[in-house]
Amino acid sequence: MTDIAIIGGGPAGLAASLYAARGGASVRLIEELFPGGQIVKTHCIENYPGAPDGPDGYALAARLEEHAAKAGVTPEYAGVVSLRLSESEKEITLSTGETFAAKAVILCMGASPRQIGVPGERELTGKGVSYCATCDGAFYRGRTATVIGGGDTAISDALYLSRLCKQVYVVHRRDRLRASAVLANAALQTENITFVWNSVPEAFLGTERLTGVRLKNTATGECSELQTDGVFVAIGIVPRTDLIAGQVALARDGSIETNERMETSVPGVFAAGDVRNTPLRQVVTACADGAVAATYAIEAVRV
Ligand code: NAP
């Protein structure tokens, strides 16, 4: 039986696999798509300690994967269809049809971008509405793009797009940014970024393709239309907990409740990174969570 199954190959999962394997445990790391999770959507990671050159997300993901491989862990690319966590022997069923058992599980499923839920969003996704500036920004080279949100994701997306696009609008529901000061100051000083304060989208407009956004001013109630070629929705994230519904205690925001050892409400089940209830969602905290989870998972399987 595998000692530790790790579900998700973002920074938390890759760090957990490194620590678990180096600690002598047998490890299976299951990743659905590609290593790196959300960071592969990040064009420049400027605040990962020890990497002052600000690697792009792909580069950092590749280094994390390489480091895990050096410890003997190769991610297995498969979907996890179901998890049975309540017994002491955990059961993991993969999209390949295989079911395997593990003594401990570390949940590192990360989070998905939150949808804004306005008319036109679903219909125009992929036709002008996007959730990933790094993936889709190049489509708007020399054109106009609009970012919705005022957090770190929105502002770093706006800065990235400002280098490609003729004009970038940032639509934010308040008149102050949530983003860190470094990012906020850079965006406020960028000539082709215009802030549309106290505003929320009411609808994404267009039939075949996005043509604009209908906005409502949250202070005055006035409506207006902003013409834009693309919209990037960056209003936060939703922890990916579908797989463990009803099995593990969740916090009010839907993330997994853990203690400081990353233990969940179920013995032998740990959570790390963006999927857990954490006050700070960064690459450095995800890696730290992974290291802590692996350390106590090893302790759990050795009892
Ligand atoms: P976030 O920090 O939760 O910010 C979400 C933004 O969207 C906020 O400005 C919020 O407005 C706005 N918003 C939320 N719901 C909205 C709605 N229904 N309509 C309109 N606006 C809405 O999310 P995030 O920026 O994705 O960041 C997630 C985590 O990743 C954070 O911990 C962040 O620090 C981290 N992150 C870090 C970096 C970095 O350090 N370089 C980069 C990306 C992400 P209010 O401000 O009014 O609440």
Side-chain angles (χ1 to χ4, degrees):
M1 192 186 343
T2 300
D3 286 333
I4 302 174
I6 298 172
I7 314 300
L14 288 166
S17 70
L18 171 67
Y19 273 72
R22 284 175 58 86
S26 61
V27 176
R28 286 184 71 173
L29 168 61
I30 314 296
E31 163 57 44
E32 195 172 13
L33 292 173
F34 38 74
Q38 296 252 78
I39 64 167
V40 300
K41 297 180 179 175
T42 308
H43 40 92
C44 179
I45 296 165
E46 290 186 43
N47 57 3
Y48 190 70
D53 299 331
D56 66 46
Y58 276 108
L60 186 56
R63 295 291 283 167
L64 288 166
E65 189 185 10
E66 203 181 311
H67 207 165
K70 194 175 168 192
V73 182
T74 306
E76 296 172 50
Y77 293 100
V80 175
V81 175
S82 68
L83 290 171
R84 276 188 46 202
L85 301 175
S86 58
E87 307 297 321
S88 60
E89 204 170 285
K90 317 297 177 195
E91 243 180 51
I92 299 100
T93 301
L94 304 181
S95 53
T96 56
E98 185 197 359
T99 296
F100 71 95
K103 294 179 191 162
V105 171
I106 305 179
L107 303 168
C108 306
M109 292 88 76
S112 309
R114 174 175 289 128
Q115 299 187 346
I116 198 156
V118 299
E121 181 178 30
R122 197 166 41 81
E123 298 81 348
L124 293 168
T125 293
K127 298 175 184 167
V129 175
S130 168
Y131 300 85
C132 176
T134 314
C135 320
D136 298 333
F139 294 128
Y140 302 97
R141 197 178 289 278
R143 301 165 78 196
T144 298
T146 299
V147 179
I148 315 288
D152 283 332
T153 303
I155 302 310
S156 56
D157 282 358
L159 285 165
Y160 176 69
L161 291 166
S162 73
R163 296 192 275 274
L164 299 169
C165 300
K166 182 175 66 184
Q167 175 66 49
V168 176
Y169 294 100
V170 175
V171 173
H172 184 35
R173 64 183 175 183
R174 294 187 289 142
D175 62 358
R176 274 191 67 180
L177 295 175
R178 175 178 297 278
S180 62
V182 173
L183 289 172
N185 290 337
L188 289 164
Q189 285 163 24
T190 300
E191 243 174 47
N192 63 342
I193 298 180
T194 302
F195 286 85
V196 184
W197 300 112
N198 298 315
S199 296
V200 286
E202 283 224 305
F204 296 141
L205 308 172
T207 44
E208 293 299 300
R209 275 207 66 80
L210 179 91
T211 54
V213 186
R214 188 181 313 127
L215 298 175
K216 183 175 177 179
N217 187 299
T218 53
T220 64
E222 265 172 46
C223 287
S224 60
E225 276 186 22
L226 179 67
Q227 285 187 2
T228 186
D229 300 306
V231 160
F232 292 85
V233 180
I235 61 163
I237 52 174
V238 181
R240 297 180 63 191
T241 55
D242 303 3
L243 264 178
I244 48 129
Q247 298 193 68
V248 175
L250 301 182
R252 277 176 61 186
D253 68 353
S255 59
I256 300 173
E257 204 66 270
T258 64
N259 62 16
E260 64 184 356
R261 296 176 171 213
M262 307 301 143
E263 290 164 328
T264 70
S265 58
V266 180
V269 180
F270 300 77
D274 284 1
V275 78
R276 83 172 188 100
N277 183 20
T278 171
L280 186 64
R281 289 188 164 93
Q282 301 278 306
V283 186
V284 68
T285 53
C287 288
D289 283 3
V292 173
T295 301
Y296 289 102
I298 290 171
E299 200 174 285
V301 303
R302 292 215 171 122
V303 171

